[in-house]
Amino acid sequence: MSEAWLDEIQWTEDGLVPVIAQQHDTSRVMMFAWMNRESLALTVKEGYAVYWSRSRQRLWRKGEESGHRQKVIDIQLDCDADVILIKIEQQGGIACHTGRQSCFFRSLHDGEWQTAEPVLKDPKSIYK
């Protein structure tokens, strides 16, 4: 399969594109991350989300340590070709490194960020 479709993406100056991961059957936004050309191509090839970790400066296969992989159902590109939405099946029901379902678990109430979701699994038992 030709990878010419990668040329249609408006990459940032550092070669990245923002990616929103959304649970395919509930539309719940699970997380936000970055991909580069290699990680996006690997995501398509392998069928599971592969991101670019800016903090580690390396490819990061979601769930490589926790087992909470993201099976890709669909990949969509926005109208400006500068944001990707991947519709996923979140394996294990946990997307966040804090042990919560979603990385978006805090809500602003009366000028304060309040935790709105419980920890489903202690991160100490997820990560070694």
Side-chain angles (χ1 to χ4, degrees):
M1 175 168 93
S2 168
E3 292 186 354
W5 55 272
L6 286 166
D7 296 331
E8 295 181 43
I9 296 170
Q10 299 299 310
W11 304 95
T12 63
E13 285 183 18
D14 48 356
L16 302 174
V17 65
V19 180
I20 300 163
Q22 179 184 53
Q23 178 65 29
H24 76 99
D25 56 351
T26 65
S27 296
R28 174 80 195 271
V29 173
M30 302 303 278
M31 59 178 276
F32 168 85
W34 297 91
M35 287 184 178
N36 62 11
R37 289 177 71 96
E38 183 182 8
S39 64
L40 181 53
L42 284 169
T43 295
V44 170
K45 179 181 176 187
E46 297 175 6
Y48 287 88
V50 180
Y51 299 107
W52 175 256
S53 172
R54 295 184 306 162
S55 61
R56 299 179 196 113
Q57 287 295 296
R58 68 169 178 84
L59 293 174
W60 161 46
R61 284 174 168 79
K62 176 67 177 161
E64 64 190 5
E65 191 175 334
S66 67
H68 300 144
R69 298 173 71 197
Q70 294 176 337
K71 181 175 174 38
V72 176
I73 307 301
D74 190 22
I75 301 176
Q76 299 178 347
L77 184 62
D78 81 325
C79 58
D80 295 323
D82 62 359
V83 177
I84 290 177
L85 173 69
I86 59 170
K87 295 192 178 189
I88 56 146
E89 178 183 304
Q90 180 63 58
Q91 298 181 341
I94 295 173
C96 187
H97 75 282
T98 66
R100 291 177 173 87
Q101 179 184 37
S102 169
C103 293
F104 296 92
F105 60 86
R106 292 182 281 198
S107 295
L108 186 62
H109 293 286
D110 299 322
E112 294 182 15
W113 293 108
Q114 297 180 4
T115 300
E117 290 190 12
V119 171
L120 301 177
K121 192 170 185 180
D122 184 345
K124 291 177 188 161
S125 69
I126 298 172
Y127 303 100
K128 308 295 180 245

